[in-house]
Amino acid sequence: MPELSGNKGEWSEIYVFLRLLEMGKLYAADSELNKLDDVFYNIINIIRNENAGILEFRIDRVNGLISVVNTETNTDLCNISVSEFKENADKLYNEIVSANTPSFSIEEVEAFLDSMNVKTLKAKSTDKADIRIKIHDINTGYESVQGFSIKSRLGGASTLINAGKTTNFIYEITGPVNDNVMTVFNNCSKLFKSKFEYLRNYAHCNVSYYGMENDTFEDNLSLIDGDLPKICAYMLVEYYSSGINTVQRSLNALIDSNPLNYNLSKGQPFYQYKFKKFLTDSALGMLPSKPWDGRADATGGYIIVREDGEVLCYHLFNRNEFENYLISNTKFETASTSRHDFGYIYEDNGRYFLKLNLQIRFIK
């Protein structure tokens, strides 16, 4: 009976592991996720922390073999041909794209993994990186072990910033607001666009950023840039009130309104630059609920599995392409209002407030 079962995202991590060992190279992508044939990093080995110990999968290019070594016991476990990695990577890709259940097993691939003492889909790690790779940079000659976060486009679009009460932003409602306005807002259409239309065009009330529900997330944003809490707050109001959900379109709207009164006459991209840093730090390790010290967990960058099975990376050496990819491929999304306790006006000591929640998902 199969012991390994996972969803498309979890199996995609194994797919990356197998495919990269077969290829022996990690290719870079441009901002549109196109492969850059002349930009790549040679893979020396891939490291997994398994139940049996720390395993290194060393690439022997001369003999076309992958040597599996337990570095804790200094034991050579096996030597497997690169062609077997290709065969199993191809098989796994086909199984992932054809799977029609949330979780599934793949017996043949599991047997192959078992032969190498790989017993888990998601390797244990001391950091948040999904895979650790020792790479050789042909430009500098530098070799290092780097952690990469893996995102797969073979299944549903994954989140970049997960919703929680920690990601709630608080706004004060001012103007001719009273209990009746609160009741109408809370009970009218489930569409936030309609709620905001009532609030502004009929009740003639204003929505002003007040603060954040979670001090840690607010501190993390302020560490990246002091204006980020306000920038996120303005973009959230734009999303919930207009329905504009892509980050790129939201930034364009923010530039047009320029609520922070930046001097945009010289063409400096104040809003884009600050929000790019936020998305990038979120991708590389910053979590809303944990104090952020600015150090990335995914020290190498991002690996993305494209729909056609191509495995490409945004290395931090090529940070601009990565940042542009994040801006162009993310969107705001409405999470569960009941679970995360937002989306309704409430009264507190004669003042009226509204919480809006931040969740950002990849478009694909």
Side-chain angles (χ1 to χ4, degrees):
M1 289 290 291
E3 295 181 2
L4 294 182
S5 180
N7 59 34
K8 291 189 175 188
E10 291 165 336
W11 277 110
S12 291
E13 292 190 24
I14 291 293
Y15 172 73
V16 169
F17 164 69
L18 298 177
R19 185 64 81 195
L20 290 183
L21 286 172
E22 172 231 321
M23 294 172 58
K25 295 179 181 179
L26 178 56
Y27 283 90
D30 65 15
S31 60
E32 300 300 320
L33 202 57
N34 297 309
K35 181 179 179 181
L36 298 174
D37 291 314
D38 57 344
V39 181
F40 60 87
Y41 308 93
N42 284 319
I43 298 172
I44 299 171
N45 60 49
I46 293 179
I47 304 159
R48 285 180 66 90
N49 192 342
E50 289 285 342
N51 296 331
I54 298 175
L55 305 184
E56 280 190 12
F57 297 80
R58 300 172 180 174
I59 299 177
D60 180 350
R61 300 177 194 280
V62 175
N63 297 304
L65 296 174
I66 305 298
S67 300
V68 185
V69 179
N70 186 323
T71 60
E72 291 184 353
T73 61
N74 197 29
T75 305
D76 293 331
L77 300 180
C78 58
N79 293 293
I80 302 173
S81 69
V82 169
S83 62
E84 288 189 61
F85 281 83
K86 181 182 187 311
E87 178 185 341
N88 280 275
D90 291 343
K91 189 179 301 177
L92 179 53
Y93 170 75
N94 291 329
E95 292 286 347
I96 292 173
V97 296
S98 63
N100 53 17
T101 58
S103 184
F104 53 95
S105 301
I106 308 170
E107 292 187 49
E108 289 181 78
V109 174
E110 183 178 341
F112 179 64
L113 296 173
D114 189 64
S115 71
M116 301 180 291
N117 277 340
V118 173
K119 306 291 186 179
T120 57
L121 292 186
K122 192 173 182 67
K124 297 178 182 178
S125 180
T126 56
D127 54 31
K128 297 183 185 70
D130 296 315
I131 191 169
R132 287 185 292 156
I133 307 172
K134 187 172 186 180
I135 63 172
H136 173 83
D137 185 347
I138 60 175
N139 296 312
T140 65
Y142 183 62
E143 294 182 357
S144 62
V145 176
Q146 299 181 5
F148 290 83
S149 177
I150 296 173
K151 295 295 180 184
S152 174
R153 294 165 66 117
L154 301 182
S158 55
T159 54
L160 176 59
I161 299 166
N162 291 315
K165 290 184 180 179
T166 52
T167 62
N168 281 338
F169 287 68
I170 305 171
Y171 302 81
E172 184 171 10
I173 311 301
T174 57
V177 59
N178 52 38
D179 285 355
N180 182 61
V181 170
M182 177 176 67
T183 299
V184 173
F185 179 92
N186 290 343
N187 290 286
C188 72
S189 169
K190 291 183 179 180
L191 297 175
F192 276 99
K193 186 176 181 180
S194 299
K195 288 177 179 286
F196 274 91
E197 183 179 356
Y198 159 75
L199 197 62
R200 289 173 168 171
N201 297 338
Y202 295 93
H204 304 292
C205 294
N206 298 312
V207 179
S208 304
Y209 173 60
Y210 180 78
M212 295 177 63
E213 183 165 349
N214 184 268
D215 291 340
T216 299
F217 191 28
E218 185 172 17
D219 290 342
N220 288 347
L221 291 180
S222 297
L223 176 65
I224 299 169
D225 189 279
D227 285 339
L228 259 177
K230 291 181 180 179
I231 290 173
C232 290
Y234 282 119
M235 294 177 76
L236 275 181
V237 170
E238 179 67 34
Y239 162 59
Y240 282 101
S241 63
S242 71
I244 292 176
N245 68 341
T246 67
V247 165
Q248 185 64 72
R249 290 181 61 200
S250 180
L251 282 170
N252 292 341
L254 197 62
I255 294 165
D256 290 339
S257 60
N258 192 16
L260 294 179
N261 295 312
Y262 291 130
N263 180 5
L264 304 178
S265 63
K266 299 177 182 178
Q268 291 174 291
F270 286 94
Y271 294 105
Q272 301 100 313
Y273 180 83
K274 295 170 189 287
F275 205 75
K276 277 181 183 179
K277 300 306 174 188
F278 166 50
L279 294 182
T280 303
D281 283 345
S282 296
L284 299 179
M286 191 274 283
L287 297 172
S289 59
K290 295 183 179 180
W292 171 244
D293 62 5
R295 291 185 295 180
D297 289 323
T299 53
Y302 246 46
I303 289 175
I304 297 178
V305 183
R306 220 166 53 182
E307 292 88 343
D308 60 359
E310 192 78 69
V311 176
L312 302 173
C313 84
Y314 289 105
H315 197 285
L316 294 189
F317 293 161
N318 200 18
R319 196 180 184 98
N320 289 337
E321 297 285 1
F322 180 42
E323 292 178 346
N324 290 334
Y325 171 80
L326 291 177
I327 287 289
S328 301
N329 290 276
T330 49
K331 65 179 180 179
F332 295 97
E333 187 175 66
T334 305
S336 168
T337 56
S338 58
R339 181 183 305 169
H340 304 301
D341 191 30
F342 75 96
Y344 61 91
I345 295 176
Y346 61 97
E347 184 267 337
D348 185 11
N349 291 323
R351 299 168 70 181
Y352 294 85
F353 297 93
L354 168 68
K355 294 178 185 178
L356 297 177
N357 182 266
L358 173 67
Q359 176 165 283
I360 296 180
R361 185 178 293 276
F362 285 96
I363 294 172
K364 179 57 182 173

